[in-house]
Amino acid sequence: MRTGSFVGALVAAILGLTSTDSHAQSYGPIESAYAFGKCLDVPAGERDNKVQIKIYDCNGGDNQQWSFVLVDAQNGWGTLRNLYSGKCLDVRAASMTTASNVQQYT
């Protein structure tokens, strides 16, 4: 249930970050719908691949700013890119198990 709730909150956040202008990207925080004041966070401003994404107090930093980037317009899917690191959200090893690690990756 916890995973489904997070995915639902993530989808809602993505919809709010979608830009129709292919040249301009809109960045913003992805806030938890269940833990007030908590956001997806790249810890300590890390820029390396495989850094685990955390849920941390919202502080407005660039390491908490995300943008939905459309990858396949025909099928309507894309990725979330972090403003500070320029890396995308990634589920480690494409795992589909509960409590899988979410990391940033190029």
Side-chain angles (χ1 to χ4, degrees):
M1 178 153 167
R2 191 172 65 172
T3 301
S5 299
F6 176 75
V7 171
L10 186 59
V11 169
I14 290 169
L15 294 175
L17 296 175
T18 302
S19 174
T20 56
D21 181 353
S22 62
H23 300 290
Q25 290 183 342
S26 175
Y27 285 88
I30 298 177
E31 298 183 43
S32 172
Y34 301 97
F36 180 75
K38 303 292 183 183
C39 291
L40 285 187
D41 181 275
V42 177
E46 290 282 344
R47 290 188 169 154
D48 295 332
N49 283 332
K50 299 184 180 180
V51 170
Q52 186 172 338
I53 302 303
K54 305 288 185 183
I55 296 176
Y56 193 78
D57 293 335
C58 296
N59 59 36
D62 287 350
N63 62 322
Q64 293 184 347
Q65 304 299 308
W66 301 88
S67 179
F68 178 76
V69 179
L70 191 62
V71 174
D72 183 344
Q74 183 175 1
N75 293 308
W77 65 270
T79 188
L80 289 170
R81 179 174 292 138
N82 183 262
L83 176 61
Y84 181 80
S85 68
K87 305 222 184 262
C88 297
L89 275 183
D90 176 72
V91 177
R92 186 168 290 169
S95 176
M96 295 180 65
T97 61
T98 301
S100 296
N101 285 329
V102 177
Q103 63 186 6
Q104 68 177 5
Y105 206 82
T106 303

